[in-house]
Amino acid sequence: MHKLDKLSGIREEIVADIPIPEEIFYFQSCVASNKYPGIESCTLDVLNKLGVKPFVSEDQTCCGGFVTFANVAAPTASMPAVARNISLAEEEGLDICAVCNGCWTFLNEFGHFMNGNDEVKESVNMMLNMMGREYKGESNIFHIGAMLYKLKDRIAENVERPLEGLKFATHYGCHYLGGGKYGAIDDAQHPSFIQELVEIMGGENVDYTASGECCGTGFTQVINDKEKSLDHSQMKLESVRDEADPDFVIVLCPYCLSQLDRMQQQLDYRRDVKLDIPIIHITQLAGLALGLPKERLAFDAHIGGQDRFKKALNKIGIDY
Amino acid sequence: MSKKALVIGGGIAGINAAVELANNDKLVILVEKNGELGGNVNDMAATFPELDEAQPLLDEQKSKVEDNENIDIKFNSEVISVSGKAGDFKVEINEDGNTVAEEVGAIIVATGFNYMEPNDYSEYGYSRLDNVVTSQEYERMVMNGDIKKYSNSNVVFVHCVGSRDRVKGYRYCSKICCTYSAKHALLLKQEVPSANAFVFYIDIRALGKGYEEFIRDAIEDYGVRYIRGRVSKVINKEDTLLVKAENSLIGNPVELNADLVVLASAMEPQKDSKELAEILGIETDDYGFYKEAQSNMEPVKSSKEGIFLAGSCTAPLEIRESVAMGKAAASESLSFLG
């Protein structure tokens, strides 16, 4: 019995199908835009630097995922929101780039669902027609992580601030690799594409046991049973601190970022757990390497890990 | 009608078919794709439910074929074309690079099965983590003594890896994994009494004579721990493996440090089973196992007259049943041999 030729689980056929467009519909995320403006500014600047023009729509709303994930409304209730948002990109003839695992899964899955169910699609379109719109199901939805991986050669050519001497750990998040097993570019259990990007940028990868664990949000848990959510985040973050001790943890999802970042403060005052771990989004990682100014990286908006932020950023010549 | 018969596959089913025909004064061409006889039983340390050493038993079987002047064994060989009809088949065989033509009256297909490579089950870390092996690899570890290093260690056995899974594996049950996993655990406890054996199962399918008692003995006499639940993932933790699972009887998650994880990977048809079916002109099921003429009443007849089936090329089977099918197929083919 032969063993795998390569340990990387990257699904080359899916990567090959991702186009490198001149322009792409940047799908704004509630958590990114409101809690962590650095994700938004880095996405816009990084895409521009890599030769892909981001299109920003004033008309876009929330993906609709939060109300569904939190069991506030039936999935069908948010389907028109998904259809409307995708139709905005279709009108421009653009594919969509999502920066959040939730937005990505939600647009993908509900889009896929409507494309395969004419009855649902028709009834959703009846509502959309009242707004003078139509959902066709023509735009593809890509995750920014997959886009950046696709653009890795351009990233390599544009590294202005090599991340030498810095240690990076990863947290991929359930709703990209786990939820998107048909469209995600990497193996859900042994992902490696962020590590590959970190290497291209000159950083060092470090691993920890709980790297595949949920951030602790578990959507309803963080609302219904906060202690359970805290337990889980604590286990995860202690594994990061004790085993990897990274300068940064890279996440794909703003909601994971929010959980892992803000729970550090709560764990401190509720349970006296001391953590100092900078959690940043993959677009902020790209922003760091591509030389964006600290105002655009906007690490000030992060709660946890501020001492480590200062130490790490000083190492690569950023006066923070 | 030709007096000769063709047996494809020199595993335990093919060996028994060939010997049975030879004993009835028929000439047999035994085509084996590898350089040795024995098939999958070559990788077996012991049999169940009687814990006999498998290799001496197999050697005895092999010698019956090797010493038989009625049997012409062609190693490193494959059937490349078949024409004609029952009683008068014309067959071309690629024998170690040379094409030879033969005329045979009947054909017995005994090509066996393949252990699935559980690479799609990346949650178990196979081929990514050290010390995660398939049951086939574990049998070899028993034979070469590698399991002796697991004293005072935890060894975890995982059932149904690729079986009974319509998403990533096969819908069918591989039938014998429940019993051979008990055998694996038992062998461990016999060789290394200080080791702890844990078996994660969905349910126990002890579908054979003495199997239920065998598994019960493993639990009651040898202290093998059976946990009802699926393993969700196996990850590296410092020098050992961390097995995360569910105990569905208690309803709680389980975490276990393990030094070795053994995956009972599904028994699947040989990779080229459909190509061979095309050459022979016989039907397969959706998986690629060969289809019987009638599933209950004609278990060794293929869909084509004069071509018979034996062993695990029809479905996952234990040794005992493969042997029986080999002998039955030989008996049925006699009527096509002049």
Side-chain angles (χ1 to χ4, degrees), chain A:
Chain A
M1 194 173 281
H2 77 278
K3 296 257 171 175
L4 279 185
D5 297 337
K6 58 186 182 98
L7 294 186
S8 148
I10 290 186
R11 296 151 86 185
E12 303 290 353
E13 69 285 1
I14 294 179
V15 177
D17 280 349
I18 302 175
I20 301 184
E22 284 175 16
E23 191 174 7
I24 200 154
F25 188 100
Y26 158 59
F27 197 90
Q28 293 150 281
S29 126
C30 320
V31 181
S33 302
N34 294 318
K35 288 183 173 174
Y36 297 100
I39 298 178
E40 185 158 306
S41 52
C42 283
T43 307
L44 298 174
D45 289 6
V46 164
L47 283 174
N48 270 322
K49 269 190 179 252
L50 299 176
V52 180
K53 192 168 159 255
F55 176 89
V56 184
S57 170
E58 292 287 318
D59 291 324
Q60 187 218 309
T61 65
C62 164
C63 70
F66 193 78
V67 287
T68 306
F69 288 135
N71 296 343
V72 176
T76 41
S78 40
M79 209 131 351
V82 172
R84 183 183 163 281
N85 280 329
I86 297 179
S87 78
L88 295 172
E90 286 175 350
E91 279 166 25
E92 304 296 327
L94 297 175
D95 285 335
I96 295 172
C97 170
V99 297
C100 169
N101 289 7
C103 300
W104 182 82
T105 309
F106 211 67
L107 296 178
N108 248 330
E109 289 202 353
F110 276 12
H112 181 74
F113 184 78
M114 286 187 286
N115 294 348
N117 290 274
D118 288 338
E119 222 172 297
V120 177
K121 193 172 167 183
E122 268 169 40
S123 72
V124 166
N125 265 330
M126 273 166 61
M127 271 182 263
L128 252 58
N129 290 344
M130 289 190 263
M131 309 172 212
R133 299 190 181 281
E134 192 193 350
Y135 169 76
K136 299 192 190 79
E138 289 170 352
S139 289
N140 294 308
I141 293 98
F142 300 110
H143 195 292
I144 187 73
M147 289 295 298
L148 292 175
Y149 186 74
K150 180 76 179 184
L151 294 164
K152 62 182 178 179
D153 295 339
R154 292 192 191 175
I155 290 175
E157 289 162 17
N158 285 286
V159 173
E160 286 178 26
R161 193 190 279 138
L163 306 178
E164 275 154 26
L166 295 182
K167 293 191 290 180
F168 296 86
T170 56
H171 166 77
Y172 285 80
C174 312
H175 287 259
Y176 178 58
L177 295 177
K181 56 177 176 274
Y182 302 111
I185 61 165
D186 211 341
D187 183 278
Q189 304 295 337
H190 295 269
S192 64
F193 80 87
I194 301 181
Q195 282 92 326
E196 204 177 321
L197 288 173
V198 165
E199 251 172 54
I200 288 169
M201 296 169 189
E204 181 198 344
N205 289 301
V206 283
D207 202 8
Y208 60 104
T209 310
S211 66
E213 296 289 342
C214 164
C215 62
T217 297
F219 273 101
T220 46
Q221 293 306 346
V222 73
I223 298 161
N224 297 342
D225 190 346
K226 187 138 189 170
E227 287 304 313
K228 201 175 256 175
S229 173
L230 265 177
D231 283 347
H232 197 84
S233 296
Q234 181 179 345
M235 180 276 292
K236 171 125 190 156
L237 287 164
E238 284 178 342
S239 170
V240 173
R241 178 191 66 192
D242 299 341
E243 297 171 36
D245 187 32
D247 292 299
F248 298 96
V249 175
I250 313 299
V251 298
L252 286 179
C253 172
Y255 215 104
C256 299
L257 202 167
S258 167
Q259 176 81 8
L260 293 173
D261 178 39
R262 299 191 172 194
M263 284 300 167
Q264 292 185 42
Q265 190 189 36
Q266 300 220 12
L267 285 166
D268 186 6
Y269 75 70
R270 283 174 186 234
R271 300 183 178 181
D272 201 27
V273 174
K274 301 295 176 198
L275 299 153
D276 183 24
I277 309 170
I279 315 286
I280 66 172
H281 191 259
I282 189 160
T283 52
Q284 293 174 300
L285 167 76
L288 265 179
L290 298 186
L292 298 189
K294 65 179 175 188
E295 294 76 19
R296 299 295 281 170
L297 296 166
F299 293 137
D300 321 53
H302 296 234
I303 308 289
Q306 282 299 331
D307 294 341
R308 191 67 180 258
F309 263 123
K310 185 170 168 53
K311 262 187 255 168
L313 294 173
N314 289 346
K315 249 190 218 175
I316 50 170
I318 299 174
D319 177 27
Y320 184 77

